[in-house]
Amino acid sequence: MLSILPFVGVKPYLSCDVLDLPWAGLLKYFKFNGPFACSTTSSFGHNLRRLGAQRREDISFGLKKEQEQEQGKNSISQILNAMLPFVVAATAVAALSNPPTFTWVSKEMYAPALGGIMLSIGIQLSVDDFAMVFKRPLPLSIGFIAQYMLKPALGVLIAKSFGLPPMFYAGFILTSCVAGAQLSSYASFLSKGDVALSILLTSLTTVSSAIITPLLTGLLIGSVVPVDVVAMSKSILQVVLVPITLGLALNTYAKPIVKVIKPVMPFVAMVCTSLCIGSPLAINRSQIMSPEGLQLVFPVFMFHAIAFAVGYWVSKIPIFRQKENVCRTVSLCTGMQSSTIAGLLASQFLGSSHAVPPACSVVAMAIMGLCIASFWGNGYRFGDVSNILFPQTGTTVKA
């Protein structure tokens, strides 16, 4: 058999009864007459491999192009999210220095604006995200307890400790009773935290807010300011659950539509957030700039600072022992709440002056939350704060 192989042109590693095969004659034909002459089988295999490689390159090029387009869209969304704290700060300055910039925004526009923010959350969700709740019960339970038990108690403690005036008290308490903010997911990304957990926790607390927020508000401030729990629940259903459900349905059954609108939703959310912040600040400028209003600044910042710390350290206690990335995520979700929802509810059920604490809260939590996220993202930990504030000189005194 091996004596025949040189004549046929087949290399020894293909040694088999070639001439017994039906296509042996074809091999001899291609050796002497075909385009693969000189080394029939090896050249034929080489061309097949070349065609296969070319096909794989074409496929990989197409996939790479789609990935680059998707990464481009994601980078635009990340840039818009990164700009949000600066937009929030600019909105606050514009509203207080030139109130007509935002006084045209009426209370009736709050609900559609907030609906736009909630829709931007909904199109990022899927049914599988809610199924993940049952796979990660412990970290989600920790975040949920911190969000709806520890933080409301902290809000009441700070409000009473600082003796907030009646025109701001109820709005301040309401701010501590709302769900986590969508911005916490981006902050978790910057801090190298658990982004999936942040999305799940924000979604869970937002969906639950239709029941829990009105109940907490009625329990904590019902004796101070009358609160219509049923009407507040209906309002949350309309401006929170309906847009989120719509976004979830689109992401499930109309993905082509989602691909078109998803890149612009961060911009829509940014504009809506700016409207929800600027309007109450501009309308209540005189009260904010009054001595009573200036007394609100420090309690708001302290509330968020302690909320960030509580969310972090409650995840660290020995009974839970969560990983560092989970602790960071719970901290950011606890310290950053959806103050825009609180502002809408305060305007509808408590009075315009009570919308001032939520508006101040948006500014504080956006700036503080993203600063903390950047601190963690750059590789620092809370234990490094003392070294940053009081750096070691490195000099020693020799005896």
Side-chain angles (χ1 to χ4, degrees), residues 345-398:
L345 298 176
S347 300
Q348 289 182 340
F349 301 102
L350 303 178
S352 60
S353 65
H354 291 288
V356 174
C360 295
S361 172
V362 175
V363 179
M365 69 95 174
I367 295 175
M368 295 178 67
L370 292 179
C371 286
I372 293 174
S374 178
F375 175 83
W376 277 327
N378 288 324
Y380 294 106
R381 296 197 176 195
F382 279 146
D384 301 324
V385 174
S386 59
N387 294 331
I388 296 174
L389 297 177
F390 308 101
Q392 299 281 338
T393 58
T395 59
T396 58
V397 178
K398 295 183 178 181

Side-chain angles (χ1 to χ4, degrees), residues 223-297:
S223 58
V224 179
V225 178
V227 177
D228 191 339
V229 176
V230 176
M232 188 176 289
S233 298
K234 291 181 179 179
S235 179
I236 295 177
L237 285 171
Q238 293 172 356
V239 301
V240 176
L241 291 188
V242 171
I244 286 182
T245 304
L246 175 61
L248 176 62
L250 288 175
N251 196 28
T252 304
Y253 302 108
K255 289 188 180 296
I257 297 177
V258 172
K259 287 184 179 180
V260 174
I261 66 174
K262 190 174 182 178
V264 302
M265 289 311 295
F267 178 76
V268 173
M270 180 186 296
V271 173
C272 294
T273 300
S274 181
L275 295 177
C276 292
I277 297 170
S279 179
L281 290 178
I283 293 173
N284 299 281
R285 180 185 181 279
S286 59
Q287 294 175 329
I288 296 172
M289 302 306 293
S290 66
E292 294 81 5
L294 295 176
Q295 293 177 6
L296 184 65
V297 176

Side-chain angles (χ1 to χ4, degrees), residues 6 8-11 30-43:
V8 180
V10 180
K11 292 186 177 180
F30 278 119
K31 171 175 172 56
F32 297 109
N33 304 299
F36 303 105
C38 298
S39 181
T40 305
T41 306
S42 61
S43 300

Side-chain angles (χ1 to χ4, degrees), residues 8 61 67 88 124 127 149 164 263 284 321 336 338:
V8 180
F61 177 76
Q67 291 175 353
V88 167
Q124 302 179 53
V127 177
M149 292 182 65
L164 293 183
N284 299 281
R321 294 180 182 178
M336 304 176 74
S338 186

